[in-house]
Amino acid sequence: MNQELHPYVGMWVTEDQHIRHQLLPNNRYIEARGTKEKAYQGRYQITGNYIEYWDDKGFTADGEFINNVLYHAGMVLRPL
């Protein structure tokens, strides 16, 4: 049976596309910065409109989805 994807799964980018968050359907993420395709990666959890990140190197972060915009660590990301 094919599970329906969470609506926030996919690619989120800053206006200049320098920062790119790929939210994968398996609750993993990959963050690209400029030409570095895997600057950060780890797991994430979405609760309502709130997202928490746990990087594989040990740091944590969070963000919020408001009106189809992701606000995360001072960045504004939109779906690609």
Side-chain angles (χ1 to χ4, degrees), residues 3-75:
Q3 287 188 323
E4 190 173 323
L5 292 179
H6 190 284
Y8 297 140
V9 167
M11 182 69 75
W12 294 79
V13 300
T14 55
E15 186 174 339
D16 63 3
Q17 297 191 2
H18 182 76
I19 307 294
R20 301 171 304 283
H21 284 195
Q22 178 74 39
L23 300 180
L24 302 169
N26 63 353
N27 288 26
R28 297 281 301 167
Y29 76 91
I30 300 170
E31 180 177 317
R33 290 182 174 242
T35 59
K36 189 167 185 178
E37 289 300 319
K38 291 185 178 178
Y40 301 99
Q41 54 188 336
R43 66 183 177 91
Y44 72 89
Q45 178 178 329
I46 297 172
T47 306
N49 291 326
Y50 181 73
I51 185 169
E52 294 179 89
Y53 297 89
W54 292 272
D55 185 81
D56 289 343
K57 295 179 183 175
F59 77 85
T60 61
D62 63 0
E64 187 173 14
F65 297 93
I66 302 172
N67 296 323
N68 207 35
V69 176
L70 171 55
Y71 296 89
H72 163 70
M75 295 179 279

